[in-house]
């Protein structure tokens, strides 16, 4: 597109041409990126492992915790809920953490995910009271344990699944 005025192109024509060119580049790059993501996601899901994560009714009850896998946040999990996550086979780090103000330490667990496998994990805490000087204190000790399929199926009937 060229609009010639005294042998030169006008600034408006130049601007329109460059905007159109950049929009086309952006759309093309976006389409390629989405197609690659869709292909990789489909390929990754073919042999993905499933992780079921259950959160018990334990302190801090009023605070929602965050489930992360390899540093990526997957789900916010309230009390008596469970989340299902599909992950690629290999070594992964599960982490369940609360905001710092909740006063509950995060809990990490390194797992090895096997192709097309299903694993079940249960998060709970143990609260200890210590009476002494100068004032009584409480400590919360988190636990993240693997549970059997039988126990997980029982919990699925009691807990609500997070979409």
């Amino acid at each position: 597109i060229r609009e010639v005025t005294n042998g030169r192109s006008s600034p408006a024509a130049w601007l329109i041409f460059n905007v159109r060119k950049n929009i086309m580049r952006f759309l093309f790059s976006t389409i390629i990126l989405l197609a690659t993501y869709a292909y990789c996601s489909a390929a990754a899901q073919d042999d993905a492992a499933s992780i079921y994560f259950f959160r018990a009714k334990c302190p801090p009850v009023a605070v929602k915790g965050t489930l992360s896998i390899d540093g990526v946040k997957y789900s916010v999990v309230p009390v008596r809920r469970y989340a299902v996550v599909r992950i690629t086979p290999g070594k992964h780090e599960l982490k369940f953490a609360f905001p710092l103000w909740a006063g509950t330490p995060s809990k990490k667990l390194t797992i090895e995910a096997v192709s097309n496998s299903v694993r079940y994990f249960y998060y709970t805490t143990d609260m200890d009271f210590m009476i002494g000087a100068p004032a009584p204190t409480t400590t919360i000790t988190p636990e993240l344990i693997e549970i059997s399929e039988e126990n997980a199926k029982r919990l699925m009937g009691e807990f609500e699944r997070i979409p």
Side-chain angles (χ1 to χ4, degrees), residues 1-145:
I1 299 174
R2 287 187 88 91
E3 184 180 307
V4 180
T5 309
N6 296 333
R8 304 169 126 192
S9 61
S10 74
W14 178 85
L15 181 64
I16 291 170
F17 176 75
N18 281 324
V19 168
R20 285 183 184 167
K21 183 172 66 171
N22 288 334
I23 288 173
M24 292 305 290
R25 283 182 182 166
F26 174 76
L27 289 175
F28 180 76
S29 300
T30 303
I31 290 169
I32 295 298
L33 183 66
L34 289 174
T36 304
Y37 177 76
Y39 175 77
C40 291
S41 294
Q45 295 299 321
D46 287 343
D47 64 345
S50 294
I51 300 293
Y52 283 71
F53 179 84
F54 298 88
R55 180 175 173 206
K57 185 175 183 180
C58 56
V61 176
V63 183
K64 296 176 183 176
T66 303
L67 173 63
S68 303
I69 300 175
D70 298 329
V72 177
K73 293 180 181 178
Y74 274 89
S75 186
V76 174
V77 186
V79 171
R80 297 185 58 80
R81 304 285 198 287
Y82 71 96
V84 181
V85 180
R86 305 260 303 155
I87 59 174
T88 57
K91 198 173 245 187
H92 297 280
E93 180 183 74
L94 271 65
K95 179 181 176 185
F96 193 66
F98 294 96
L100 288 176
W101 55 263
T104 303
S106 63
K107 187 64 179 175
K108 295 179 183 178
L109 184 65
T110 302
I111 64 163
E112 182 75 30
V114 179
S115 178
N116 297 315
S117 66
V118 180
R119 295 182 68 185
Y120 308 93
F121 296 93
Y122 185 74
Y123 177 87
T124 189
T125 57
D126 187 24
M127 183 178 261
D128 295 322
F129 295 98
M130 296 172 34
I131 299 175
T137 60
T138 61
T139 57
I140 297 175
T141 307
E143 293 183 50
L144 182 56
I145 56 173

